[in-house]
Amino acid sequence: MDKKNKIIIANWKMELGFKESLALALEMKNMFSGFSKGGVVICPDFISLSEVGKELTGSIIKLGAQDVFWEEKGAYTGEVSSSELEEVGCEYVIIGHSERRGYLKEDYSLINKELKNLLKESKLIPILCIGEKKESRESGKVEEVLSEQLRQALEGVSIKDDSQIIVAYEPLWAIGSGLVIKPEDMNEVNKIIVQSLSNIFNNKIAENNFLRIYGGSVNSGNVKDFAQIEGLDGLLVGGASLNSDEFYKMADKILI
Ligand code: 13P
């Protein structure tokens, strides 16, 4: 991951079947051939990873997973390890997405275990999700919520010189709702994230080892507003990443 390059990440969630994932990956591979700006990542579901990975050979598009377990092997029914994700070509993995925090009750102590294991056992780049609920924003608790999420997620995590972590700020009220954060509020959140990371580690690590991206109802119509936000390193896209034209337009506008 290059600190200078911005990144756009597609989270396909559980929106596509296996064949649909392959078809969309192929469409995107063709569309992005010759594209040479920034980083482009797609995160299909677990079932599709292996075949999509094969299809992306030779493409600039990188592969990411939507989740990972914190152990490498053992009696953990239904789970997938970081080494297996690497085996099928993943370079990125989303951890602690708000849908998993909500529907599966994942909390930041569990996300902390995933993060520690990823940094210790793999070369996968974690995409660590944080974000507040609508009530927290309305009651002025954004800073409190985000700094606490980061503190718990990163507690005891050791950062090596070459460790890279992407912090994905995805406010819950913006995901799939059509509502997006205002640029001035995003600037504020960026400051909160940098300050929290500096408190947990130090300024140098906050600056060198972390990227900050935004997710929540971004599409080709509003992406230009995000391209102008200083200190924002990219986007995590749900719904609008399910259409190759739409995703290409967004990548073209956000990446430099
Ligand atoms: P939408 O772009 O559909 O709002 O989803 C955002 C998201 O949750 C990406 O992880």
Side-chain angles (χ1 to χ4, degrees):
M1 189 168 68
D2 187 334
K3 203 47 195 154
K4 294 186 292 297
N5 275 346
K6 289 193 181 183
I7 190 163
I8 186 162
I9 302 168
N11 177 8
W12 289 351
K13 308 191 178 185
M14 203 182 72
E15 297 283 9
L16 302 172
F18 174 65
K19 288 185 190 144
E20 288 170 323
S21 299
L22 285 184
L24 184 57
L26 184 61
E27 242 177 79
M28 288 194 180
K29 178 183 175 174
N30 292 335
M31 200 164 251
F32 279 89
S33 72
F35 189 85
S36 58
K37 300 196 275 181
V40 182
V41 181
I42 57 178
C43 304
D45 63 4
F46 280 143
I47 298 280
S48 312
L49 279 175
S50 171
E51 287 302 312
V52 168
K54 283 185 206 157
E55 207 162 72
L56 292 181
T57 311
S59 167
I60 64 119
I61 302 177
K62 311 268 191 229
L63 190 66
Q66 297 178 15
D67 190 43
V68 66
F69 195 60
W70 63 79
E71 294 286 347
E72 288 306 309
K73 221 175 202 11
Y76 304 108
T77 303
E79 295 301 325
V80 174
S81 68
S82 69
S83 49
E84 201 176 350
L85 295 181
E86 288 189 304
E87 227 181 305
V88 298
C90 287
E91 295 179 51
Y92 294 81
V93 58
I94 299 171
I95 55 170
H97 191 280
S98 68
E99 283 144 18
R100 298 194 64 84
R101 304 202 305 274
Y103 297 120
L104 293 154
K105 306 284 171 266
E106 285 193 2
D107 62 17
Y108 281 95
S109 69
L110 184 156
I111 296 161
N112 175 258
K113 287 200 233 176
E114 294 175 348
L115 193 53
K116 280 183 180 155
N117 185 66
L118 278 174
L119 295 179
K120 188 159 152 265
E121 300 291 339
S122 81
K123 291 197 164 46
L124 291 166
I125 297 177
I127 303 160
L128 165 65
C129 298
I130 59 168
E132 81 286 354
K133 294 185 180 150
K134 186 164 168 264
E135 306 85 87
S136 305
R137 179 157 286 273
E138 285 171 353
S139 57
K141 295 215 171 86
V142 176
E143 178 163 8
E144 194 182 308
V145 171
L146 299 184
S147 59
E148 184 55 18
Q149 289 175 336
L150 286 170
R151 193 193 63 72
Q152 288 184 25
L154 294 162
E155 189 169 15
V157 167
S158 52
I159 305 284
K160 298 186 219 109
D161 281 353
D162 62 349
S163 302
Q164 293 290 353
I165 299 175
I166 300 175
V167 174
Y169 169 62
E170 297 207 308
L172 272 67
W173 49 268
I175 296 177
S177 65
L179 299 171
V180 288
I181 190 139
K182 294 192 204 110
E184 60 269 29
D185 291 339
M186 188 64 233
N187 282 330
E188 195 54 40
V189 166
N190 263 335
K191 280 189 208 143
I192 293 169
I193 296 173
V194 173
Q195 189 56 56
S196 302
L197 295 175
S198 300
N199 293 346
I200 298 165
F201 302 106
N202 56 50
N203 294 346
K204 192 165 158 252
I205 287 180
E207 185 51 43
N208 293 344
N209 299 87
F210 286 86
L211 290 187
R212 295 177 303 272
I213 67 174
Y214 168 81
S217 296
V218 191
N219 55 43
S220 64
N222 58 28
V223 66
K224 60 179 183 323
D225 301 337
F226 292 93
Q228 282 149 18
I229 296 175
E230 206 178 319
L232 187 67
D233 300 307
L235 297 172
L236 180 54
V237 187
S241 73
L242 298 169
N243 176 301
S244 54
D245 283 328
E246 178 79 358
F247 189 59
Y248 185 89
K249 279 188 207 150
M250 297 173 74
D252 197 35
K253 284 192 189 135
I254 196 81
L255 301 176
I256 35 173

